[in-house]
Amino acid sequence: MDQTPQEITSLVGREVYSNNGVFVGQVEDLRLDLDTETVTGLALADLNDELFRDRARGARGVIIPYRWVRAVGDVILINDIIERMKQPEEEAAA
């Protein structure tokens, strides 16, 4: 998913959702690899409290790896792995 500089800056401010439609957060900044000029992570703010309550308590945001991104459009879709953070003990019991 190579991006031009204009496309990269357009990511800031977009909402991020899981593949299952769960709101994750909003892109506040980007982590870049300057050598290859590629995005390596998305810094999210305005996080979904339900997803991050126990893991990011008191944090202003989180950085998710760009490899989780599945699609970029009006919103950014990421793998549903983020939802597994919500209730890991329920998954183990299922």
Side-chain angles (χ1 to χ4, degrees):
M1 268 193 218
D2 291 339
Q3 306 244 327
T4 66
Q6 185 175 3
E7 290 172 328
I8 290 171
T9 58
S10 73
L11 295 174
V12 175
R14 293 201 191 185
E15 292 182 338
V16 177
Y17 289 85
S18 74
N19 276 347
N20 294 336
V22 174
F23 175 74
V24 178
Q26 185 172 7
V27 178
E28 183 176 72
D29 205 353
L30 306 169
R31 176 178 275 173
L32 302 173
D33 179 329
L34 297 178
D35 293 332
T36 60
E37 297 180 1
T38 58
V39 177
T40 60
L42 301 176
L44 304 184
D46 300 325
L47 301 173
N48 179 332
D49 287 336
E50 285 186 36
L51 290 178
F52 294 101
R53 182 180 312 129
D54 295 330
R55 297 189 189 254
R57 188 181 323 238
R60 237 187 75 214
V62 297
I63 296 178
I64 60 166
Y66 196 73
R67 68 180 180 274
W68 289 6
V69 172
R70 303 293 296 160
V72 176
D74 292 338
V75 298
I76 297 172
L77 294 179
I78 62 170
N79 290 327
D80 66 352
I81 192 167
I82 197 80
E83 289 181 59
R84 296 180 191 154
M85 292 173 47
K86 187 175 175 185
Q87 299 293 338
E89 64 278 353
E90 284 183 11
E91 245 187 48

